[in-house]
Amino acid sequence: FGLNGQTTSVMKKVGFGAGSKPMVQAIDVQGNRLGSNMQPLKSAVANEDAPRGGATKSPVDIGLLLYFGLWYLGNYYYNITNKLALNAAGGKVGFPMTISSLQLGVGSIYALFLWLAPDARSRPKISMDDIVKMLPVALCFMGAHSASVFAMGMGAVSFAQIVKASEPAFAAVLSQFVYGKKVSTAKWLCLPIVIGGVILASVKELDFAWSALIAACIANMFAAVRGNENKKLMETPGLKDRIGTVGNQFAITTVLGFILSLPVLFLREGSRFGEFVQLAKTTPAIWMNLVASGLWFYGYNECATM
């Protein structure tokens, strides 16, 4: 602009010279300062992913650990309250089908409450065709639960859990030979260890019962089929979006499973249902542990799906 050298040197000192850092710097749309070559400064890029407040990212998934802890806690208390309800209702000669069905009923009531309560859980937007497609999964879910309750009623809880630990073997066989889904060699090599451990634990079990063994194996079969059918179900176009969340999926499965359990209940123990009602009225341990086990069962299974 025709300024003399003295004026130019003064301007350099206050920040208008070419070799000095501008007093006002350009920024991009994200608010990062740009250098002279219009590239984000290294300090801004380096700190872009850093947590605010000076905190560091944790390598441990706290949420996953929390869900695992809740699942373990719920499973533990479910087994206790379920066994107490079975024993109070007569044990081996009691009402295992009635108890297993009503446990699903308790879970269904809880699921409906979450849908009806304001801001608790969004409702699914499924059609009747979607419900029909979910029936096989719900049937297997009901069968696995009812057979597990039978197993626990016929023998010790520990024995039923030991046999149920062999479920991966049932799932692998079904996936490979029924559903045509190849199981990796590594998984096949793990199965003898699982099955061997189940056999050794079963032999040492003092409260061994063939009825409990058969019921637990039936439960494993239902659970394995359910897993494979659920994978097929989730491949239905748009179904995940209509269901909304995994919590909704488990809630729908529980409600459908309860409805499907009612015919089995009335066929097997329907003639004795009045006797069960009278027994529950005079024995608070039945209905208290039934309600508690139903809530624990729903809670720990939903945590497993999260």
Side-chain angles (χ1 to χ4, degrees), residues 8-32:
T8 304
S9 62
V10 173
M11 292 180 66
K12 288 182 180 180
K13 290 181 182 180
V14 298
F16 288 97
S20 64
K21 184 178 179 181
M23 291 193 299
V24 179
Q25 291 181 287
I27 60 173
D28 61 11
V29 293
Q30 296 179 340
N32 297 321

Side-chain angles (χ1 to χ4, degrees), residues 110-128:
Y110 178 72
L112 292 173
F113 167 76
L114 291 180
W115 284 331
L116 295 175
D119 300 326
R121 174 176 290 172
S122 60
R123 302 175 190 176
K125 300 177 181 179
I126 56 176
S127 63
M128 183 57 64

